[in-house]
């Protein structure tokens, strides 16, 4: 499994960024993908997750209504569209995949310990 996160950068508050997570190491479909973030001095935080059939998307309360997760299984890529960014969104963003296969099409876990494979992270900095 090889997850590659990209798209981070520096943006002003109120701006937008789109993160991408590409999986080049295995069959992308049948597995949910989650996004997490880690800010200095804080614990790793769940951001969003999407099931492999896109039937289920989950968001943390802190990003609901501002962030949108989507996926293109043909391109083995998951996206995180981030709008109305706030300084508190500043963090390193990681995409992750569980080892479990999603047979139901609705599996989109929110707990970090449900995820076995992690990308290298991409820095998002939001200036005030």
């Amino acid at each position: 499994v090889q997850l590659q996160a990209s798209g981070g950068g520096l943006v002003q508050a109120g701006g937008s960024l789109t993160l991408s997570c590409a999986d080049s190491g295995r069959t992308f479909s049948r597995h949910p993908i989650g996004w997490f973030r880690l800010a200095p001095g804080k614990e790793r935080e769940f951001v969003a997750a999407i099931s492999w059939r896109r039937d289920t998307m989950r968001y943390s309360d802190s990003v609901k209504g501002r962030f949108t997760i989507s996926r293109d299984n043909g391109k083995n890529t998951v996206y995180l569209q981030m709008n109305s960014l706030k300084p508190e969104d500043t963090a390193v963003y990681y995409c992750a995949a569980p080892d479990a296969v999603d047979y139901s099409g609705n599996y989109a876990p929110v707990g970090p310990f449900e995820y076995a494979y992690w990308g290298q992270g991409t820095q998002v900095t939001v200036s005030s």
Side-chain angles (χ1 to χ4, degrees), residues 57-113:
M57 282 81 80
R58 304 190 191 279
Y59 299 92
S60 68
D61 289 342
S62 60
V63 307
K64 196 173 296 182
R66 299 188 297 121
F67 291 11
T68 302
I69 190 170
S70 62
R71 68 188 293 162
D72 184 337
N73 288 339
K75 294 182 178 180
N76 285 4
T77 302
V78 169
Y79 305 96
L80 185 68
Q81 174 68 42
M82 306 186 296
N83 298 326
S84 302
L85 283 162
K86 304 175 181 180
E88 50 264 44
D89 294 318
T90 295
V92 178
Y93 284 71
Y94 299 87
C95 60
D99 194 41
V101 173
D102 177 14
Y103 291 103
S104 70
N106 298 318
Y107 181 48
V110 302
F113 297 105

Side-chain angles (χ1 to χ4, degrees), residues 14 16 28 48 57 114:
S16 299
F28 190 71
M57 282 81 80
E114 297 185 73

Side-chain angles (χ1 to χ4, degrees), residues 33-74:
I33 297 292
W35 284 97
F36 293 79
R37 65 188 182 186
L38 183 62
K42 296 185 178 180
E43 295 185 353
R44 183 171 46 186
E45 178 188 13
F46 168 76
V47 176
I50 185 168
S51 63
W52 79 269
R53 283 196 321 199
R54 301 179 291 269
D55 290 351
T56 300
M57 282 81 80
R58 304 190 191 279
Y59 299 92
S60 68
D61 289 342
S62 60
V63 307
K64 196 173 296 182
R66 299 188 297 121
F67 291 11
T68 302
I69 190 170
S70 62
R71 68 188 293 162
D72 184 337
N73 288 339

Side-chain angles (χ1 to χ4, degrees), residues 7 20 26 31 45 67 93 98 126:
S20 299
R26 64 171 184 181
H31 291 267
E45 178 188 13
F67 291 11
Y93 284 71
V126 184

